[in-house]
């Protein structure tokens, strides 16, 4: 089987399936096209070809979609934009950066440090970045507002090397690479981490796939701000630098349609196609550039391939019979990788030697000249032309597929090798060859003095190339990357906006989801603050009662609503608008978190605060998109995450995969997330107010947090806010809700969220049936109580002999006698978080295991976290203490039929399930 047959599935089938019944006539048509190109150029030929294709379609002539083109540059030589810069200067300081980037990683791998790093990614991508830095990436001081650039994580040494050349970093800083605590003050994070370097990096990208989807939603957020009249972002571009191996991540490709559907021509993907992933070829038997071209074009993107450098132009011009292009099309990536790991002679024999015609094409070239036939991603002119075409293209996002060599210029031990990604240091011989290749003025003596500490190189600020470099950045608006967290002042909501939360629901039953939605609606009506709220809802707004927002706030759609809505006559009609406030990503939690991240960091990216409120099925939050929330924490996102339809037994009609019994535990792993499980609307009101004050209040010192609130779909009578409410307790995690009403053997019931009404009912049953006195505490945050307790322990640990701070939960429960029963609608590990900080005997009730479909009452009886389970558990502990009859627990089990799932009575059947 010929190589071309194996890869034909990634080349568009135009003629290979049809017979040629008149080759002479075919040749005449082809000659006519060639003559048109010679006389009028490729641009005129493009128009004629498109006109013919359009006419063919109108005449029902079957013409397949051209999803892939030949393995050559998309932009013809005669349409390449002229390179405007000083290529010699740019090549010179690009060499300095490549040297310093490699040296920084090499020095970090010396025996006494050994923290590693990645050398090869930036070595191969330096041209892609430098063309951008010198001619396209606009800084924060640019009149248009500056661009957002998502740098490929493993290329971070190159960005540090440029910052060193610009004077932003010192040699001491470079030597602090990956030593963030031991070299504090002169430390550089391994990858783009805004939380670790808050004035340098803007976007965390090294968790593969998150960069692409966040870049897409950043571009959308730019348009959202513009269309809502909050900021003019019309002159801002979003750039995302990605790896071809990274494109195998579902997140990398799964959201491309949004960018196409919304015509995000402010978005540019640059995919560094070095044909390698971490362990070997991306598509050894195929062609990843062709695959990506087809995928992106099919998704509605503008595709620009930069395959070959200028050295190939003459060969391709002389390739009159297409023999060279045919070989380029049929050669698989595994072979292309091998060619760059061998020699010019090897390439002559194994690539050009495949046909007599191609062998003759290079007959006059030396082996060195063949070896120096560059790939397109290393050619300044080709890359510049692609970037210029991308930024000028209108109506679609653009992807640039740039063919490069991983480890380019690092020598035969690195270039194109399977192991190059993991190689972190160079031998002395490697260093000398690399120095010679880059023409760095460092002597053998300097390298031999200490091979683990080769010197950095900077020619001095007065060097003409450095002056030129600084002039280019000044013209483009300052250094990139840079993060600024100064923003326009935001006026927080007036007190009256929270009144709806304090009133309760009167005689009408309402779930906490509805209590939250009513509060959100009033906050959005606040004249000065409301416009800053960005509600984000996947395709479940009606489930959460948020369809009430459709007619007033409207759904954001840059194209508006160009159809006659089927429900136009209804009060809650579905309405879309370019100025819509609701972000509706569809059935797309990953996209929703990306939108949340873009909105929640708008205060830094654009200086315009947005407060995203992302409402979702709680089961599909931290479990499905935890990595994206981790990146959101890294990017210092601020906002509210609302886990609706929460709990393991409150949505029991939906069954196992909808039953959330563990999201607070998953949320607890994210240091930036404050997790609350409120029982009542008034608790929600105080938590939201506290959150807004912390994130945007003038007095706050720790603003970069996200609030996760779990809310439920089970309707209850929402009480009005009690007088003298312990607001501090609500915010910090626990307050006394209902003191015992009788005297008797004492117990404490700690409950959260939907289980608080069960605890109150258990209080009544214990008093009426067993003469037991129970205090009921509302625990609004098990997680925050634990964090406070651990912080108190840490303070004591580091200050021996000093007075110790008592954890808040311990303070609150001081004087609360008797055993404690802790209950929630989550697995037992959630309440167990505070066990070590409570001196009382402690028992936990929860819902461990998988969920299932049944009634709420049956599910709670099955899990033994219902009202009567609380009663029995309290009686058992009191019986062991001799404070109630020893037979009381057995009698209670029999009395309430605790082992019979059909005897459960806890909760009600209301609310959508």
């Amino acid at each position: 089987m010929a190589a071309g047959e194996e890869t034909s599935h990634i080349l568009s089938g135009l003629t290979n399936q049809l017979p040629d019944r008149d080759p002479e006539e075919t040749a005449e048509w082809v000659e006519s096209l060639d003559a048109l190109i010679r006389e009028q150029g490729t641009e005129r030929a493009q128009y004629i070809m498109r006109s013919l294709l359009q006419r063919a379609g109108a005449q029902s002539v079957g013409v397949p979609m051209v999803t892939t083109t030949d393995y050559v540059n998309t932009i013809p030589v005669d349409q390449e934009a002229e390179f405007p810069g000083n290529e010699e200067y740019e090549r010179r300081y690009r060499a300095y950066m490549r040297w310093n980037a490699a040296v920084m990683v090499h020095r970090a791998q010396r025996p006494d440090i050994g923290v590693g790093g990645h050398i090869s990614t930036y070595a191969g991508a330096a041209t892609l970045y430098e063309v951008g830095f010198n001619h396209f990436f606009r800084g924060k001081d640019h009149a248009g507002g500056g661009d957002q650039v998502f740098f490929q994580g493993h290329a971070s040494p190159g960005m540090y090397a440029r910052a060193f050349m610009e004077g932003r970093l010192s040699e001491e800083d470079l030597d602090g690479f990956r030593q963030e605590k031991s070299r504090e003050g002169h430390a550089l994070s391994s990858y783009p981490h805004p939380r670790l370097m808050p004035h340098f990096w803007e976007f965390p990208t090294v968790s593969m796939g998150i960069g692409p989807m966040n870049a897409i939603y950043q571009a959308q957020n730019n348009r959202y701000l513009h269309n809502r009249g909050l900021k003019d972002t019309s002159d801002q571009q979003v750039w995302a630098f990605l790896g071809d191996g990274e494109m195998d991540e579902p997140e990398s490709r799964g959201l491309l349609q949004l960018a196409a559907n919304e015509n995000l021509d402010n978005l540019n993907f640059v995919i560094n196609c070095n044909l390698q992933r971490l362990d070997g070829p991306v598509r050894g038997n195929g062609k990843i550039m062709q695959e990506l071209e087809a995928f992106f074009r099919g998704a509605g993107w503008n595709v620009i391939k930069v395959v070959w450098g200028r050295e190939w132009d003459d060969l391709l011009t002389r390739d009159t019979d297409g023999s060279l292009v045919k070989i380029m099309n049929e050669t698989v990536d595994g072979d292309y990788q091998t060619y760059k790991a061998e020699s010019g002679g090897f390439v002559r024999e194994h690539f050009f030697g495949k046909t007599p015609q191609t062998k003759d094409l290079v007959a006059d070239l030396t082996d060195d000249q063949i070896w120096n036939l560059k790939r397109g991603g290393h050619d300044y002119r080709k890359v510049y032309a692609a970037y210029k075409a991308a930024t000028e293209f209108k109506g679609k996002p653009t992807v640039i597929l740039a063919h490069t060599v991983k480890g380019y210029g690092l020598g035969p031990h690195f270039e194109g090798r399977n192991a190059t990604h993991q190689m972190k240091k160079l031998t002395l011989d490697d260093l000398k060859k690399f120095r010679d290749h880059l023409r760095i003025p460092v002597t053998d003596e300097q390298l031999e003095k200490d091979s683990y500490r080769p010197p950095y190189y900077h020619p001095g600020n007065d060097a003409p190339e450095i002056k030129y470099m600084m002039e280019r950045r000044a013209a483009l608006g300052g250094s990139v990357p840079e993060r600024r967290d100064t923003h326009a002042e935001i006026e927080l909501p007036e007190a009256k906006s929270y009144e709806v939360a304090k009133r309760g629901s009167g005689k009408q039953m309402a779930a906490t989801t509805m209590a939250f939605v009513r509060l959100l609606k009033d906050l959005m009506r606040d004249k000065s603050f409301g416009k800053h709220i960005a509600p984000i809802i996947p395709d479940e707004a009606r489930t959460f009662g948020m369809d009430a927002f459709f007619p007033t706030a409207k759904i954001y759609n840059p194209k508006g609503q160009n159809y006659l809505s089927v429900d136009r006559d209804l009060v809650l009609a579905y309405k879309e608008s370019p100025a819509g406030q609701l972000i509706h990503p569809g059935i797309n939690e990953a996209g929703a978190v990306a939108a949340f991240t873009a909105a929640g960091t708008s205060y830094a990216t654009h200086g315009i605060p947005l407060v995203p409120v992302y409402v979702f099925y709680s089961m599909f939050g931290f479990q499905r998109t935890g990595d994206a929330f981790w990146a959101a924490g890294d990017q210092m996102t601020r906002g509210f995450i609302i886990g609706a339809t929460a709990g393991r037994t409150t949505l029991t009609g939906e069954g196992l995969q909808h039953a959330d019994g563990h999201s607070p535990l998953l949320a607890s792993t994210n240091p930036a997330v404050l997790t609350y499980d409120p029982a009542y609307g008034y608790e929600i009101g105080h938590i939201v107010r506290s959150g807004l004050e912390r994130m945007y209040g003038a007095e706050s010192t720790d603003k970069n947090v996200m609030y996760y609130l779990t809310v439920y779909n089970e309707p209850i009578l929402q009480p009005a806010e009690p007088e003298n409410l312990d607001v501090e307790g609500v915010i910090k995690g626990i307050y006394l809700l209902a003191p015992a009403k009788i005297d008797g053997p004492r117990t404490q019931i700690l409950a959260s969220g939907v289980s608080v009404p069960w605890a109150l009912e258990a209080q009544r049953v214990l008093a009426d049936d067993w003469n037991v006195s129970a205090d009921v505490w509302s625990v609004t945050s098990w997680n925050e109580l634990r964090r406070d307790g651990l912080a108190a322990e840490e303070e004591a640990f580091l200050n021996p002999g000093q007075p110790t701070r008592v954890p808040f939960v311990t303070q609150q429960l001081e004087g609360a006698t008797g055993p404690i029963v802790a209950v929630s609608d989550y697995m037992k590990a959630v309440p167990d978080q505070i066990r070590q900080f409570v001196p009382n005997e402690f028992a936990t009730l929860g819902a461990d295991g998988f969920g299932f479909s049944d009634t709420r009452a049956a599910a709670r009886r099955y899990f033994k976290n219902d009202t009567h389970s609380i009663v029995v558990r309290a009686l058992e502990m009191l019986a062991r203490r001799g404070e109630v009859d020893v037979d009381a627990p057995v009698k209670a089990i029999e009395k309430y039929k605790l082992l019979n799932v059909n005897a459960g009575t806890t909760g009600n059947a209301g609310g959508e399930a």
Side-chain angles (χ1 to χ4, degrees), residues 53-307:
L53 288 169
Q54 187 172 329
R55 185 64 178 167
Q59 295 289 334
S60 299
V61 176
V63 179
M65 176 184 177
V66 182
T67 54
T68 57
T69 56
D70 284 324
Y71 203 64
V72 295
N73 295 342
T74 301
I75 301 175
V77 175
D78 66 337
Q79 290 187 36
E80 287 178 6
E82 185 176 349
F83 182 72
N86 185 320
E87 193 169 356
E88 175 55 34
Y89 280 172
E90 293 185 26
R91 182 183 291 113
R92 205 180 296 173
Y93 60 73
R94 183 177 82 239
Y96 306 157
M97 292 174 198
R98 293 178 65 213
W99 171 262
N100 290 332
V103 165
M104 180 185 74
V105 174
H106 177 80
R107 288 169 71 123
Q109 193 58 18
R110 61 190 184 272
D112 55 323
I113 300 297
V115 293
H118 298 279
I119 294 177
S120 297
T121 298
Y122 178 71
T127 296
L128 301 179
Y129 286 113
E130 280 305 302
V131 171
F133 276 120
N134 292 316
H135 303 285
F136 293 95
F137 303 159
R138 290 162 308 181
K140 301 288 187 186
D141 293 326
H142 188 272
D147 295 342
Q148 289 89 47
V149 185
F150 290 71
F151 293 97
Q152 195 176 357
H154 293 106
S156 62
M159 309 317 121
Y160 294 140
R162 172 169 260 272
F164 171 65
M165 300 306 295
E166 292 178 1
R168 300 172 67 195
L169 298 177
S170 66
E171 288 193 15
E172 191 175 0
D173 295 329
L174 297 187
D175 275 347
F177 180 57
R178 292 191 168 197
Q179 300 152 69
E180 294 171 59
K181 299 302 179 186
S182 59
R183 301 293 293 271
E184 194 166 2
H186 294 281
L188 303 180
S189 61
S190 54
Y191 303 122
H193 291 306
R195 185 168 285 271
L196 300 176
M197 295 180 66
H199 301 296
F200 192 89
W201 295 114
E202 274 200 288
F203 307 108
T205 54
V206 83
S207 186
M208 299 295 176
I210 287 181
M213 67 180 187
N214 280 4
I216 290 170
Y217 277 86
Q218 183 63 57
Q220 185 207 48
N221 182 257
N222 289 10
R223 291 282 167 83
Y224 175 81
L225 285 165
H226 186 87
N227 290 335
R228 289 192 56 214
L230 297 174
K231 184 188 178 186
D232 181 359
T233 62
S234 58
D235 196 28
Q236 294 184 274
Q237 294 271 325
V238 176
W239 298 81
F241 285 82
L242 314 166
D244 47 359
E246 180 178 6
M247 297 312 293
D248 281 347
E249 286 283 5
E251 294 88 348
S252 296
R253 304 196 196 190
L255 301 173
L256 300 183
Q257 77 286 344
L258 174 87
N261 291 345
E262 296 194 4
N263 306 115
L264 296 178
D265 50 21
N266 59 342
L267 174 65
N268 310 289
F269 274 17
V270 181
I271 302 182
N272 177 19
C273 295
N274 56 35
L275 315 185
Q276 290 184 245
R277 52 190 178 202
L278 306 190
D279 289 331
V282 179
R283 297 288 186 272
N285 294 322
K287 297 173 84 67
I288 187 60
M289 289 185 74
Q290 301 295 85
E291 177 188 320
L292 292 174
E293 178 186 23
F295 198 94
F296 276 88
R297 184 167 285 122
W301 286 52
N302 175 43
V303 180
I304 299 174
K305 288 193 298 190
V306 184
V307 190

